[in-house]
Amino acid sequence: MLQFELDEELLSLQDTVHIPGEIPIEGENPKSLERILNEIVDSLQDASGNITDETLFDQIRSFIKHFNTLQKKTATKVWDIVLSGFNAELQVTAQDLDFNDQDAYLQHRTPLEIYGFLIYWIISITEQKATSKAATMDKSGKATRPKGSRAKNDGDDSEQGVSTWTTEKQRALDLMCKCLGLHLSKIWTATHEKESFISLFFKPAYQILENKENVRVSALKQRVYHVLCLCIKNHNHEFGARTTIIQNLQYWEHTPEPMAELLEMLITIYDFQQLADSVLREVSTKEFEESIKDITVPKAYSKFLVRLSELAPKVVLKQMGLLIDHLDGESYIMRQAIVEVIGHLIAYLSAEEQTDQIKNQIDGFFDILEERFMDNNSYVRTKLIQIVGNLCDLKSKFPKRRQRLTELVIGRLSDKSFWSRKQAIKTFVRLIETHPYSMHGGELDLEDWEIQYTEVTDELKAMITKPSKRRALLRKSAGMDEDGMDVDGEAENEEDEDKDISLPTDEELLELQASKEYVTKTLQQRYYADAIRFIHLIHRAVPVMCELLASTAKLEVVEAMDFFVTIHRYKVRASSDGIRKMVHLVWMKDNGDEAKSVRARLMECYWQIYLAPDDNLTEKENTALIARNLVSLTYGSTLAELTSLEQLLSTIVSDSANAGNEITISDEVIEKLWQVYSHQKEIPNPQRRGAIIILGMLAKAKPDIVAQKIEVILKIGLGKHGKVDLALARYSCIALQRIAGEKKKQKGALAQDTLRLSMDHPIFTKLSNLIDHPTTSKNWFAVAEQALNTIYLLGEHPDILCGDIIKARCKTIFNLQEDEPSPSVEPSSTPDVNMVSEDLTVHLNAENAFVIDSWQLSQLLFIVGHVAMKHIVHMEVIEEEFKRRKAIAGNEKKKDKDHAEDELDQVVGTTEDEFGDALAHIRERELLFGQDSLLQVFGPLIVTICGNNTLYSDKTLQSSASLALCKLMCISAEFCEHNLQLLFTILEKSHEPAIRSNIIIALGDMAVCFNNLIDANIAYLYKRLSDSDRAVKKNTLMVLTHLILNGMVKVKGQLGEMAICLVDEDARISDLARLFFTELTSKDNAVYNNMPDIISHLSNSENKVDEESYRKIMRFLFELIKDKSMDSMIEKLCQRFKNTEEPRGWRDIAFCLSMLPYKTEKSFKRLLEGFPNYQDKVHEEAVFKYLSDIIAKGRAIKPPKPEMKPIIDEFENKLKEFKAKGDEVQDIEAKAISAVKKGGRRGGRKAGSALAGLKVKGVPSGSSPQKKVCVCDLGSSIKSRDLIHLRVVVCYL
């Protein structure tokens, strides 16, 4: 009989196992091994108890000891032998236990221990092998199978028993459950012996869970849970299980969810809650001070809590009073977990019966969530906002809490963390989509809800104040009408009674308030009030959402776009603000998939809002609806919005034509727009105007849209309708320009051949008539500009037609005759009575003077200036056309051109070079100075008008003349140089913001053409940054931004004025300034190089800003400077203290020092080296505070640097020392001043008597007390203190 001691056998497994009767396994003939196994099978089939035979036991142990070296077939047979024998033994044991035969069932103790031991040993071997293999794969990377190969069957990957053995382990676990279900206390009466036997089952179970591959097999995992649950509940394994669960959470990353699932099964199936309670109590006592360095442990605990709160929220709720302490801990991961747990508990409680206790618990949890919105960690805030979004999907809407949560979510839209903002947008959208105000279709139109609220309020008021309604309501509530009481007799007097308002008695009021109808109306009123408040919250969030559309985080932008689409779907009128701003995203730079997704999402949004057909409408109705939507986009739009909309619509048209995109604009919609434009009946001007604007936008990508309807445009836009509505004529001209097609010239490519029409085409006749059409509207200038643009874009010889237009204008204005050689003529006839501008006397010379109309002269000068500018562009087009034709001709010749000819061209130049030089000469000398040039006649006239603004005082004339002067100056460098000072004088002295803005923009163009002239006078541009008009200031900033960032002008210390724009009241100006400095940072460290000049300008100049603005500017600028430049910046700032005498300057410099990062020992050394420069200034409270902030910043570095501590301490000690000395000096100064004032009030007593040893110089005895200044020498009277020698000027009354 085998003497089997379980504890000794388990102990032997920890070392090399010694088997007395071991048989050789490795290297043996498989047939011999098969024969031995067959003998074992035969023996166990006779009786499963034969496992106690010493020889048989040693044989089976030999096979298990070398299990990993066995072939798959042999190893499988070993598994089968052990499991079959164990099953047979369990059956026999169960029968004996049922018969309660003690002698019989006690004999099964040793066989059961042996079988359990063998299973334990096999599982231990297989799991160790599998775990080591998985660890190796994790280190080397996941193994990949060749494409097309199939996963092998369980165990087929090895010939030597290395397998997952999933099926066998499931059989083994089933047998364990069967064994644990027996009355084992009868067989093992001693507790420690029973525990040893039970350990044969729960230890392999835990070992199986340690392999994450096993956890993925649901059937295997469930069997493990059952084994452990039986051990815990029936066999006193609670304490061991708690310890093991805690250890698994700490050491195995994949075990949190399985441990939670184990506890959930233990609670729900086995009705054993104690273990979960003890585990939760122990988790609540854990502290994670070092969680920042190692987040794996708190992460495991957090996963466990979250999963358990999902599966068993009732158990977690019971221990929530202890777990809530983690919200005050340092670990943000645990705070995240508790927040998520609270969300699950609210979801659980909301599904329960709503007793007072449950309502109070829900309110308490909501209070905690609201507090966590102020958590200092962005991950916690993000998780919290996500939880709030999840709560929106619950059946219960929590109306009392919803408003406050919405306010908090809106507040997080301005969070500094991108992830928090992005999640806040998603949650806010979810709050809107699940709102509880669905009584009137769910739409959130504020005006409709306010009407409903007003009606209900009036009805409630009428119930109280009008006697007839009050009596009717009281009768109805008392049931008197149903009893058949006659009330017709009283109805006659109701109208008369309602005219007088009377208040009810207290009894009537109480009865009225208790009536069903009154309560219903009151609840309805409250419902409407809540809905209105919610809509107001949405309106409040719209401006913030508009700002988020400009975010650099593309995912955030996409979420903001979805928000505006959502609120538009719910009829929120404020959505139009965001939808209009959203269109500017079409210009986003194509720097990756994110930018493409933004543009694609933008097109989808506009498709959903404006272009998608409605399934409930017919095709014809859909066409009219889409056309109406497109036209509505133009109502009230700015130029920037129209430009972006044009790019968006043209992109949609081009993408649909190229790729067959579903987002498209059908031909039927285009035809409908033409019908609106050409409608013969009177329709609103904005509607007809909007139709041609949209058609022009679409024609940018598809010119045929306009090319096929030229006659319609000439009849409507350039005909009677256009002459009445000049804006319609202007947009019609823009639409005609689309005929030429869009020029997309690529670098190095030849110019494209453009469409040119002969000058006898009806288009040019209509355009000429439109320009000459008499009108007093200032819209004429915009129409004339686009008409001239169209002429130059489409005409073969536009200069001829434009010359004729100018000559005709001159004849009309100056009353010239064909045979007259000069423009000097007799006074003109009586001016046109339709003109509203005052008449202007123009002196061409001292002898001849005549009176002309200033309005007509303004029109003439505008035409002259714009023709001059367009003619320069036309000359460039001619040059490109010349190059294109020459290139085509060159390609037709032989390609093997003689090499000598190439060299000759390089030496003497080509015809192309000569052609370019000729055009440059014409531009510089001929256009404005040539005897045959029409423009040369007007140069002196324009200069004269601009130079005599008091004589020619008409505002329109001055505006046109100054604009024409700017355009002429862009043509010739000589003309520009001669009149540049005149232009600067106008810029300085003109009172018209439009004139100053035009000149600023023109100076930007001149800087491109004639860089040297403008660069020498760039100070005039910088002065306009302090202009009183915001438009002038914004245009100046835009021009300077363009010139500086493109390297057209050099920065010469004037950036201080641009820095002031960072705190401008106008958000557009401040945003543009921020963009400028952000881009300037990438230009050779330009911000750092100009920082001294910026500081001097802001703190010491005459136009210095207030301290709060100064700090905002510096805080922004120092964020842009790279850390590499910080040490030298410290040195420069310290040196500035020497030359600064005012306390304001000290504070400014100290603030700048506090903005720098002090990450190295070298930074503090620079501070100490420069300490003598500011040691006498640290007594100033603000200076001392800023320098103390530097010390705090150095000590807060994570991880701490030991080498920095001594130098920080030294700097701190010095700072405190000189602060104390400075304070002492300040006290002495105060005493001296007080003493001198006292002496003056006493009428001639010596002030020195108040202070022992104080000598007053410069005040002779008997001097009048009205003496204003005296000088006190404090140094001579204070000998015992090591103070700075100080001469104080003391003023006394």
Side-chain angles (χ1 to χ4, degrees):
M1 183 70 179
L2 175 67
Q3 298 297 322
F4 182 81
E5 294 293 335
L6 180 58
D7 292 334
E8 293 180 1
E9 293 295 335
L10 290 173
L11 188 63
S12 68
L13 292 181
Q14 299 178 7
D15 266 333
T16 303
V17 179
H18 174 68
I19 302 174
E22 183 175 358
I23 60 175
I25 299 297
E26 295 186 24
E28 287 296 312
N29 188 351
K31 291 184 178 181
S32 301
L33 298 177
E34 183 74 16
R35 179 179 53 79
I36 297 173
L37 289 175
N38 289 334
E39 293 175 355
I40 296 173
V41 170
D42 293 339
S43 178
L44 293 178
Q45 280 181 346
D46 294 337
S48 59
N50 290 338
I51 193 70
T52 57
D53 180 74
E54 187 172 358
T55 302
L56 189 148
F57 180 58
D58 288 343
Q59 288 177 342
I60 196 67
R61 282 199 298 171
S62 300
F63 279 97
I64 296 176
K65 180 179 179 180
H66 301 281
F67 191 83
N68 287 332
T69 65
L70 298 176
Q71 292 184 358
K72 178 64 185 297
K73 182 180 179 181
T74 305
T76 303
K77 195 162 188 175
V78 172
W79 261 114
D80 187 62
I81 290 172
V82 175
L83 295 177
S84 299
F86 189 31
N87 185 31
E89 186 65 25
L90 287 174
Q91 292 177 358
V92 177
T93 305
Q95 293 175 1
D96 291 341
L97 285 171
D98 291 340
F99 293 137
N100 201 18
D101 186 352
Q102 183 177 8
D103 295 335
Y105 61 66
L106 287 178
Q107 292 179 1
H108 297 292
R109 171 174 172 171
T110 300
L112 288 175
E113 288 181 346
I114 292 176
Y115 281 117
F117 170 74
L118 295 178
I119 293 175
Y120 168 85
W121 193 3
I122 295 175
I123 292 178
S124 177
I125 290 173
T126 57
E127 290 305 317
Q128 286 177 3
K129 188 68 175 179
T131 303
S132 62
K133 183 179 179 182
T136 304
M137 290 177 62
D138 288 341
K139 290 181 180 179
S140 60
K142 291 185 177 181
T144 56
R145 287 198 306 267
K147 187 175 180 180
S149 63
R150 295 184 304 170
K152 297 182 180 180
N153 293 331
D154 187 17
D156 290 348
D157 56 343
S158 174
E159 290 295 327
Q160 295 184 332
V162 180
S163 170
T164 56
W165 300 110
T166 302
T167 305
E168 285 75 10
K169 284 185 285 190
Q170 290 180 21
R171 285 181 59 196
L173 291 169
D174 288 337
L175 294 175
M176 291 180 186
C177 292
K178 187 175 181 180
C179 180
L180 292 169
L182 300 177
H183 202 325
L184 299 181
S185 298
K186 291 184 177 181
I187 302 176
W188 287 272
T189 55
T191 303
H192 72 280
E193 294 177 347
K194 180 183 176 183
E195 289 178 353
S196 297
F197 178 70
I198 298 299
S199 70
L200 297 177
F201 302 146
F202 64 72
K203 284 184 179 180
Y206 288 126
Q207 198 169 11
I208 289 173
L209 290 179
E210 290 174 2
N211 187 352
K212 61 183 178 182
E213 297 298 328
N214 293 332
V215 174
R216 295 173 183 171
V217 182
S218 178
L220 179 62
K221 183 173 61 173
Q222 293 298 321
R223 286 171 168 82
V224 171
Y225 294 161
H226 281 290
V227 169
L228 293 176
C229 288
L230 289 170
C231 292
I232 293 167
K233 182 176 182 180
N234 299 334
H235 303 290
N236 199 26
H237 180 54
E238 179 185 352
F239 178 78
R242 183 183 67 188
T243 304
T244 306
I245 288 173
I246 297 298
Q247 289 177 347
N248 285 344
L249 293 178
Q250 293 177 346
Y251 296 114
W252 303 99
E253 293 183 3
H254 66 278
T255 55
E257 287 85 356
M259 293 299 101
E261 293 168 1
L262 168 63
L263 293 178
E264 186 267 340
M265 178 181 286
L266 188 62
I267 295 167
T268 56
I269 298 179
Y270 293 90
D271 193 23
F272 192 86
Q273 189 176 321
Q274 295 89 322
L275 178 60
D277 291 339
S278 62
V279 170
L280 289 174
R281 284 194 295 270
E282 187 162 350
V283 171
S284 67
T285 62
K286 296 291 182 181
E287 296 182 358
F288 305 98
E289 293 85 357
E290 301 298 325
S291 59
I292 297 177
K293 293 182 180 179
D294 183 12
I295 64 172
T296 55
V297 175
K299 193 173 182 180
Y301 281 108
S302 68
K303 287 182 179 180
F304 170 75
L305 289 175
V306 170
R307 183 60 177 159
L308 187 59
S309 66
E310 284 183 281
L311 299 174
K314 188 175 181 179
V315 178
V316 179
L317 179 64
K318 183 179 178 182
Q319 304 298 329
M320 203 59 198
L322 300 175
L323 294 173
I324 205 73
D325 291 340
H326 281 296
L327 284 178
D328 299 325
E330 297 180 8
S331 174
Y332 74 89
I333 296 178
M334 290 303 295
R335 298 203 300 274
Q336 268 185 296
I338 297 302
V339 165
E340 193 166 358
V341 166
I342 290 175
H344 292 154
L345 295 182
I346 292 175
Y348 162 71
L349 292 172
S350 66
E352 298 293 313
E353 183 181 353
Q354 296 301 296
T355 62
D356 291 340
Q357 180 182 1
I358 288 179
K359 289 179 180 178
N360 291 335
Q361 286 179 320
I362 292 176
D363 288 338
F365 286 140
F366 271 117
D367 290 338
I368 295 172
L369 292 182
E370 290 175 5
E371 291 175 1
R372 281 299 107 189
F373 271 93
M374 302 305 292
D375 197 285
N376 60 2
N377 187 276
S378 62
Y379 293 111
V380 179
R381 297 194 300 271
T382 304
K383 176 59 69 174
L384 171 62
I385 299 169
Q386 181 184 357
I387 294 304
V388 173
N390 295 340
L391 293 177
C392 295
D393 297 327
L394 298 178
K395 187 176 181 180
S396 178
K397 299 300 181 183
F398 307 107
K400 294 182 180 180
R401 289 288 183 170
R402 195 178 190 90
Q403 300 279 0
R404 178 57 182 161
L405 288 175
T406 305
E407 290 178 4
L408 293 171
V409 170
I410 292 174
R412 289 300 98 199
L413 294 175
S414 302
D415 198 286
K416 63 182 180 180
S417 168
F418 152 71
W419 295 107
S420 295
R421 294 194 304 270
K422 177 177 176 291
Q423 188 60 53
I425 300 172
K426 294 182 70 173
T427 298
F428 192 27
V429 170
R430 201 75 196 106
L431 284 166
I432 295 171
E433 291 176 339
T434 59
H435 74 82
Y437 312 109
S438 56
M439 180 179 289
H440 302 288
E443 295 180 354
L444 298 174
D445 187 353
L446 180 61
E447 185 176 337
D448 292 344
W449 283 95
E450 287 179 339
I451 292 173
Q452 297 289 343
Y453 177 79
T454 303
E455 291 178 355
V456 173
T457 303
D458 292 341
E459 290 179 11
L460 283 172
K461 187 177 179 181
M463 288 180 184
I464 296 175
T465 59
K466 292 186 178 181
S468 62
K469 288 186 175 291
R470 187 167 64 244
R471 281 198 301 271
L473 186 61
L474 292 176
R475 285 197 303 270
K476 185 176 181 180
S477 113
M480 297 175 67
D481 289 346
E482 288 78 356
D483 295 339
M485 179 176 285
D486 184 15
V487 295
D488 293 336
E490 298 180 4
E492 299 176 356
N493 299 324
E494 287 183 355
E495 294 184 2
D496 295 334
E497 291 181 6
D498 285 348
K499 294 179 181 179
D500 299 325
I501 296 176
S502 65
L503 296 177
T505 63
D506 292 341
E507 294 180 357
E508 287 180 333
L509 183 61
L510 290 174
E511 189 176 355
L512 184 67
Q513 291 175 347
S515 65
K516 182 178 179 182
E517 186 173 350
Y518 185 87
V519 171
T520 302
K521 291 294 181 183
T522 303
L523 293 175
Q524 195 173 357
Q525 183 191 39
R526 189 184 306 168
Y527 177 81
Y528 289 142
D530 288 343
I532 291 172
R533 183 184 172 197
F534 181 70
I535 298 171
H536 278 299
L537 290 176
I538 298 175
H539 283 245
R540 195 179 84 185
V542 167
V544 184
M545 287 292 190
C546 289
E547 293 179 4
L548 294 179
L549 286 174
S551 172
T552 55
K554 306 302 184 295
L555 296 176
E556 187 177 9
V557 174
V558 171
E559 295 293 345
M561 293 163 63
D562 290 340
F563 165 79
F564 285 111
V565 173
T566 300
I567 64 174
H568 180 271
R569 189 168 67 247
Y570 283 91
K571 309 300 182 186
V572 179
R573 297 190 180 185
S575 63
S576 59
D577 297 339
I579 293 172
R580 284 183 179 274
K581 189 170 183 179
M582 190 194 304
V583 72
H584 299 307
L585 297 173
V586 74
W587 302 106
M588 183 166 289
K589 293 180 180 178
D590 190 5
N591 54 0
D593 293 337
E594 287 187 351
K596 292 180 181 178
S597 66
V598 170
R599 284 196 300 274
R601 184 59 187 149
L602 175 64
M603 289 192 286
E604 290 176 8
C605 291
Y606 267 73
W607 166 261
Q608 294 174 16
I609 297 172
Y610 299 112
L611 304 176
D614 189 344
D615 296 336
N616 298 323
L617 301 178
T618 63
E619 184 177 353
K620 186 177 180 179
E621 290 173 336
N622 272 319
T623 300
L625 175 63
I626 295 171
R628 185 164 55 250
N629 289 340
L630 288 173
V631 171
S632 67
L633 287 174
T634 64
Y635 297 160
S637 297
T638 63
L639 178 60
E641 290 169 351
L642 289 177
T643 305
S644 299
L645 181 62
E646 178 183 64
Q647 181 67 18
L648 175 63
L649 294 180
S650 61
T651 303
I652 291 176
V653 173
S654 60
D655 287 355
S656 63
N658 297 335
N661 198 339
E662 293 182 0
I663 302 177
T664 183
I665 299 174
S666 64
D667 294 337
E668 291 78 10
V669 173
I670 296 173
E671 187 61 34
K672 185 66 177 179
L673 290 170
W674 280 116
Q675 292 176 11
V676 174
Y677 175 68
S678 60
H679 207 286
Q680 296 300 323
K681 295 182 180 179
E682 290 298 326
I683 61 174
N685 287 338
Q687 192 172 344
R688 195 188 302 271
R689 201 182 302 154
I692 193 60
I693 291 174
I694 297 298
L695 288 169
M697 292 176 178
L698 301 178
K700 182 181 179 182
K702 194 175 180 182
D704 289 343
I705 293 175
V706 172
Q708 297 172 358
K709 299 284 186 177
I710 293 178
E711 294 181 0
V712 177
I713 295 178
L714 297 182
K715 180 181 178 182
I716 303 297
L718 303 186
K720 60 177 183 178
H721 292 286
K723 291 177 181 178
V724 174
D725 182 9
L726 291 180
L728 178 66
R730 174 172 175 260
Y731 289 115
S732 298
C733 291
I734 294 174
L736 285 174
Q737 295 169 24
R738 304 304 184 202
I739 299 174
E742 186 180 9
K743 297 180 180 179
K744 295 181 180 179
K745 184 178 179 181
Q746 298 178 353
K747 189 175 181 181
L750 296 176
Q752 299 175 355
D753 187 12
T754 57
L755 174 67
R756 291 283 173 175
L757 304 176
S758 62
M759 301 311 298
D760 58 355
H761 196 282
I763 287 179
F764 303 113
T765 304
K766 285 284 188 178
L767 291 172
S768 179
N769 294 336
L770 183 64
I771 295 173
D772 291 334
H773 177 67
T775 180
T776 58
S777 172
K778 288 190 176 182
N779 289 333
W780 176 89
F781 293 100
V783 176
E785 178 186 7
Q786 294 302 330
L788 293 172
N789 290 345
T790 307
I791 292 172
Y792 268 94
L793 186 63
L794 299 180
E796 286 185 341
H797 303 289
D799 51 327
I800 297 175
L801 177 58
C802 291
D804 294 340
I805 293 173
I806 294 174
K807 292 174 185 177
R809 278 275 173 174
C810 289
K811 291 176 183 178
T812 303
I813 295 174
F814 300 113
N815 197 20
L816 299 178
Q817 303 298 325
E818 291 293 338
D819 56 348
E820 290 179 350
S822 70
S824 298
V825 294
E826 294 296 324
S828 64
S829 58
T830 304
D832 191 342
V833 294
N834 293 327
M835 300 303 173
V836 295
S837 300
E838 62 179 351
D839 290 339
L840 180 65
T841 302
V842 178
H843 297 273
L844 291 181
N845 53 55
E847 298 177 357
N848 272 334
F850 55 91
V851 178
I852 65 171
D853 186 86
S854 61
W855 175 258
Q856 292 187 359
L857 184 59
S858 300
Q859 290 179 317
L860 173 62
L861 296 183
F862 179 84
I863 294 172
V864 169
H866 199 64
V867 166
M869 182 62 68
K870 295 305 296 182
H871 200 69
I872 295 299
V873 178
H874 185 61
M875 290 172 63
E876 294 176 355
V877 172
I878 292 173
E879 186 176 5
E880 290 181 358
E881 181 66 15
F882 174 79
K883 293 178 181 179
R884 188 185 68 83
R885 292 183 180 182
K886 184 182 177 185
I888 293 174
N891 292 334
E892 292 175 355
K893 295 180 181 180
K894 295 181 180 180
K895 294 183 180 181
D896 53 346
K897 190 176 181 182
D898 185 62
H899 181 68
E901 293 182 12
D902 290 341
E903 292 182 350
L904 184 62
D905 286 342
Q906 294 175 7
V907 175
V908 302
T910 63
T911 307
E912 186 176 317
D913 296 332
E914 295 172 357
F915 188 81
D917 293 340
L919 289 179
H921 175 75
I922 293 172
R923 172 175 176 171
E924 180 65 32
R925 297 297 309 161
E926 296 295 333
L927 287 180
L928 296 180
F929 302 105
Q931 292 297 323
D932 298 330
S933 174
L934 181 62
L935 296 178
Q936 63 89 20
V937 177
F938 296 95
L941 174 62
I942 293 171
V943 172
T944 302
I945 294 174
C946 291
N948 295 274
N949 61 331
T950 54
L951 181 60
Y952 313 114
S953 58
D954 184 76
K955 294 180 180 180
T956 305
L957 178 61
Q958 280 295 322
S959 179
S960 295
S962 61
L963 182 58
L965 177 63
C966 292
K967 291 180 178 180
L968 294 181
M969 289 174 68
C970 290
I971 296 176
S972 170
E974 182 179 348
F975 187 84
C976 180
E977 186 175 5
H978 287 166
N979 298 286
L980 193 58
Q981 288 305 317
L982 171 61
L983 194 66
F984 287 139
T985 303
I986 300 172
L987 178 63
E988 293 288 324
K989 297 185 177 181
S990 175
H991 298 292
E992 293 298 319
I995 294 178
R996 298 200 300 274
S997 290
N998 287 338
I999 293 176
I1000 284 294
I1001 296 171
L1003 286 172
D1005 293 335
M1006 293 177 206
V1008 178
C1009 301
F1010 318 117
N1011 182 266
N1012 294 333
L1013 292 175
I1014 304 303
D1015 197 18
N1017 300 277
I1018 196 67
Y1020 288 100
L1021 270 75
Y1022 282 101
K1023 286 182 182 179
R1024 291 304 98 204
L1025 289 173
S1026 56
D1027 196 283
S1028 58
D1029 186 79
R1030 291 185 177 181
V1032 177
K1033 187 186 296 186
K1034 182 174 75 71
N1035 289 329
T1036 304
L1037 184 58
M1038 292 178 66
V1039 169
L1040 286 172
T1041 298
H1042 172 69
L1043 295 178
I1044 293 173
L1045 294 182
N1046 289 285
M1048 297 174 187
V1049 296
K1050 297 179 180 178
V1051 179
K1052 299 177 181 178
Q1054 300 99 335
L1055 286 183
E1057 283 293 339
M1058 300 193 75
I1060 294 176
C1061 295
L1062 289 168
V1063 291
D1064 195 274
E1065 295 178 355
D1066 192 333
R1068 296 176 300 173
I1069 295 176
S1070 59
D1071 291 343
L1072 186 58
R1074 286 174 176 270
L1075 178 63
F1076 165 74
F1077 280 104
T1078 304
E1079 293 295 326
L1080 187 64
T1081 307
S1082 60
K1083 302 287 183 180
D1084 300 327
N1085 216 7
V1087 175
Y1088 167 77
N1089 295 334
N1090 288 275
M1091 188 61 77
D1093 295 325
I1094 295 175
I1095 295 174
S1096 298
H1097 184 88
L1098 296 180
S1099 58
N1100 299 329
S1101 65
E1102 297 179 357
N1103 299 323
K1104 62 183 178 183
V1105 298
D1106 60 273
E1107 287 193 63
E1108 182 63 29
S1109 299
Y1110 179 89
R1111 288 194 290 268
K1112 288 181 180 179
I1113 294 171
M1114 287 298 118
R1115 190 176 288 112
F1116 174 77
L1117 293 179
F1118 275 107
E1119 289 176 356
L1120 301 177
I1121 300 178
K1122 298 178 181 177
D1123 290 348
K1124 297 178 181 178
S1125 310
M1126 291 305 181
D1127 292 338
S1128 56
M1129 178 62 72
I1130 295 172
E1131 185 177 359
K1132 291 180 180 180
L1133 289 173
C1134 290
Q1135 291 174 355
R1136 293 183 68 87
F1137 276 110
K1138 290 191 298 185
N1139 303 322
T1140 307
E1141 298 179 356
E1142 297 182 0
R1144 162 67 193 276
W1146 306 343
R1147 295 193 294 270
D1148 289 345
I1149 298 172
F1151 176 78
C1152 292
L1153 282 172
S1154 68
M1155 285 293 99
L1156 300 174
Y1158 295 84
K1159 299 179 180 179
T1160 61
E1161 185 182 4
K1162 186 178 179 181
S1163 301
F1164 280 94
K1165 282 184 178 178
R1166 292 289 176 92
L1167 269 180
L1168 282 173
E1169 290 170 359
F1171 198 82
N1173 296 325
Y1174 57 88
Q1175 62 185 14
D1176 57 336
K1177 288 133 179 119
V1178 295
H1179 66 273
E1180 181 76 19
E1181 287 297 332
V1183 175
F1184 180 77
K1185 176 186 176 299
Y1186 293 138
L1187 296 177
S1188 300
D1189 291 343
I1190 295 175
I1191 297 172
K1193 190 180 292 187
R1195 296 193 189 282
I1197 294 176
K1198 298 288 184 179
K1201 297 181 179 179
E1203 67 274 10
M1204 290 180 61
K1205 188 178 185 304
I1207 196 167
I1208 294 177
D1209 293 340
E1210 181 184 355
F1211 177 69
E1212 184 177 18
N1213 294 334
K1214 268 195 170 187
L1215 192 63
K1216 291 180 178 179
E1217 177 187 352
F1218 280 88
K1219 176 68 166 65
K1221 290 181 180 181
D1223 289 343
E1224 193 169 354
V1225 171
Q1226 293 296 309
D1227 292 341
I1228 294 173
E1229 282 187 38
K1231 290 179 181 178
I1233 294 172
S1234 176
V1236 172
K1237 288 183 178 180
K1238 278 185 182 179
R1241 287 195 296 269
R1242 288 172 185 171
R1245 290 186 181 182
K1246 291 183 179 180
S1249 62
L1251 288 174
L1254 180 62
K1255 300 178 181 180
V1256 180
K1257 295 183 179 180
V1259 183
S1261 59
S1263 63
S1264 172
Q1266 280 77 28
K1267 183 77 176 179
K1268 297 217 173 168
V1269 178
C1270 69
V1271 180
C1272 302
D1273 188 352
L1274 300 180
S1276 59
S1277 62
I1278 307 172
K1279 297 180 180 179
S1280 61
R1281 297 181 179 88
D1282 184 17
L1283 295 179
I1284 302 170
H1285 186 69
L1286 181 66
R1287 297 182 67 84
V1288 184
V1289 179
V1290 182
C1291 300
Y1292 65 94
L1293 300 176

